Amino acid sequence: MKSSVAIQVLPAVDSDQEVCRIVDEVIAYIASTGLNYYVGPCETAIEGEDYDQLMEIVKNCQKIAIKAGCKSVSAYVKINYRPEGEVLTIDQKIGKYHKDAE
């Protein structure tokens, strides 16, 4: 794995219900990419080999939120990129904490 990103999308809307609805649409988009991802309580982590593909997904997350009905959106993004090697995978980072959930 050469790249991973974590993204938190914060739609500017009036209710928690709308926040959840819009974030659900963003997560559905992320799922549709076919990449490995993990939804956490504050952000979603995505991993892949192609840095540019991940950056395109990050860009599209904002567009999906706007299309879903919010007038503005903020996003917090963390990027881990290692073109000549491997980054830690989602499972390597948190798998040991979630073995009981399986």
Side-chain angles (χ1 to χ4, degrees), residues 16 22 27 31-32 47 50-51 67 70 73 75 78 82 93 95-96 98 100:
D16 291 344
I22 292 168
I27 293 169
S32 77
E47 55 190 15
D50 186 343
Y51 173 84
K67 186 177 178 183
C70 64
V73 61
K78 299 173 194 171
R82 185 178 282 180
K93 292 176 188 174
K96 64 186 172 191
H98 297 280
D100 293 335

Side-chain angles (χ1 to χ4, degrees), residues 48-68:
E49 295 295 329
D50 186 343
Y51 173 84
D52 292 330
Q53 180 185 23
L54 289 175
M55 293 302 97
E56 186 72 17
I57 291 167
V58 166
K59 177 181 82 174
N60 288 337
C61 286
Q62 280 67 232
K63 292 181 177 185
I64 297 293
I66 296 296
K67 186 177 178 183

